[in-house]
Structures are given as structure tokens and as C-alpha cells.
Amino acid sequence: MTNSQRLETVRSRLCQWINDQCTDAVQEHGPVKVLSESLLIRDGFFCGRCFRTEAYRAVWFIEEDELKIYSNSGSLECVFTGHEIDQVEEVPSANESIIRMPERVTETDTPVRRAA
């Protein structure tokens, strides 16, 4: 798994957990989205990512592969280990929303009209 794929899995797990916690809000406002994301640097070294949503803040520590979710008041709400992060439900891929162009028609499929 590439770094970008792992990061997308972490984002998806975070959003899924929030959606599971806030079913009323999801029905009213739609699925939860990450409002901001930033790099987590400690002593000059990259160590993870911080995510902010409307009601929660989360920190993914890359070395430990651990996702900690906090409420906006600062209380720890949930901790996911690497294995638990991988248990994210399959969500539709962004590629599924791409409109596909029709396949090119070859000369053998349709007769070719020639000018006189």
C-alpha cells in the first residue's frame, strides 16, 4: 500500500467513525467531511497528520499507525490501531463518479460513407 493509499484509508476510517456517531447530523447535512488537514511535525521530524472536522479533531501518528480522535472540548473519544483502521467499510471510489466516454467505433463496426 502506498503512502497516499494509507492516508486515504485513515481519512475514510475517521469519517466513517464520525458518521456512525452522529447519525442524526449525517441525515440532515450529509456525510462528514474533513475541513482541514495538516502535517504533524515534532522536533523537526514528520510524525503524522492532524485532521479537523466540524465536531472532532483527530491525530494519526504514522510510526505507531494509530488514529486518536478527540472532541472539540479536548476529551479523547476513540483510539484506532493500525489493524482497526484497516477495517474501514468500502466507500465508493472517486473514480466511480467519472463519466466514461463511449468507446471509439471502428470501421468494422459501421459502414463507412464515401463522398461521390
Side-chain angles (χ1 to χ4, degrees):
M1 179 179 292
T2 65
N3 290 338
S4 61
Q5 289 170 328
R6 185 63 179 164
L7 179 57
E8 184 58 34
T9 301
V10 170
R11 274 192 214 107
S12 296
R13 187 65 180 113
L14 171 62
C15 291
Q16 179 188 359
W17 181 85
I18 294 172
N19 286 333
D20 291 346
Q21 301 305 308
C22 309
T23 54
D24 296 335
V26 171
Q27 291 173 357
E28 291 179 23
H29 305 292
V32 172
K33 295 183 181 175
V34 174
L35 300 176
S36 69
E37 183 175 324
S38 57
L39 298 175
L40 181 60
I41 308 287
R42 185 174 292 152
D43 296 327
F45 295 98
F46 172 72
C47 60
R49 298 262 182 164
C50 294
F51 307 92
R52 289 203 180 272
T53 66
E54 194 170 306
Y56 296 95
R57 180 178 61 87
V59 179
W60 173 46
F61 296 98
I62 195 166
E63 189 172 323
E64 296 87 359
D65 198 19
E66 187 176 76
L67 177 65
K68 293 185 177 184
I69 304 171
Y70 300 88
S71 68
N72 280 340
S73 65
S75 63
L76 180 63
E77 299 291 320
C78 184
V79 178
F80 288 107
T81 63
H83 177 69
E84 294 167 329
I85 293 170
D86 291 333
Q87 295 175 347
V88 65
E89 292 177 9
E90 290 297 319
V91 292
S93 169
N95 294 338
E96 293 177 9
S97 64
I98 296 173
I99 299 172
R100 304 273 182 223
M101 298 300 292
E103 291 183 26
R104 183 177 178 184
V105 178
T106 62
E107 291 181 23
T108 58
D109 294 340
T110 59
V112 177
R113 293 186 174 176
R114 307 253 182 223

